[in-house]
Amino acid sequence: MSDRIFGAVGLLLALFYAWATLQIEESFMSDAVGPKTFPLGIAAILGLSSIVIFLKPDDEPQWPPLARLAEIAAAVVVMILYAEFLPIAGFVIATAFAAAYLTWRLGSSPLQSVIIGVGTSLGIYVIFHLVLGLSLARGPLGF
């Protein structure tokens, strides 16, 4: 029963996400793909996945223990804080901290997590900002 509830909630979330995406006003100078394509793709994948979960639930789903649910909640809090601090700290710094924390919680050592966090942040910055020319949030250091 819990899988069907999860599937129904996921489907409602996908529908809301698609509706919110369709509310985006496009500029007359947008590219051929437009700002709605990627979010609508995410909504479609979420909707299809939710329908499969709803129609084919597990016979006896096993929920994670309370400690694991707390870890998941902490990861959600980190992502919310990431979104809040992105305009303040900038892309490189905020992404480095978020990636370092998340990789640490996934099992990396603290030193490995810092290296992975910084490497991920700088790698994404180089690809998206320097190579592709996309605008990313600038921090106090100018990048």
Side-chain angles (χ1 to χ4, degrees):
M1 182 65 170
S2 61
D3 278 359
R4 290 190 188 236
I5 294 170
F6 182 67
V9 169
L11 184 58
L12 290 174
L13 181 64
L15 291 171
F16 173 76
Y17 193 68
W19 174 81
T21 298
L22 293 174
Q23 303 306 309
I24 296 173
E25 293 185 26
E26 294 187 42
S27 170
F28 68 92
M29 292 180 22
S30 67
D31 58 7
V33 176
K36 297 179 184 180
T37 303
F38 184 73
L40 284 175
I42 297 288
I45 292 169
L46 176 60
L48 291 173
S49 301
S50 298
I51 289 170
V52 169
I53 291 171
F54 185 82
L55 294 177
K56 290 186 158 201
D58 284 342
D59 293 334
E60 293 187 32
Q62 294 182 347
W63 285 86
L66 188 58
R68 181 59 67 186
L69 289 174
E71 291 267 349
I72 294 169
V76 169
V77 168
V78 166
M79 295 309 295
I80 291 169
L81 290 173
Y82 173 70
E84 290 295 321
F85 282 104
L86 191 60
I88 299 166
F91 178 82
V92 173
I93 295 170
T95 303
F97 276 103
Y101 174 79
L102 293 172
T103 55
W104 173 61
R105 294 316 309 145
L106 287 171
S108 298
S109 71
L111 178 60
Q112 287 175 326
S113 296
V114 169
I115 293 168
I116 292 169
V118 170
T120 300
S121 176
L122 291 175
I124 293 172
Y125 180 81
V126 166
I127 292 170
F128 283 92
H129 184 70
L130 300 179
V131 174
L132 297 175
L134 299 176
S135 177
L136 299 174
R138 290 183 179 249
L141 302 176
F143 56 85

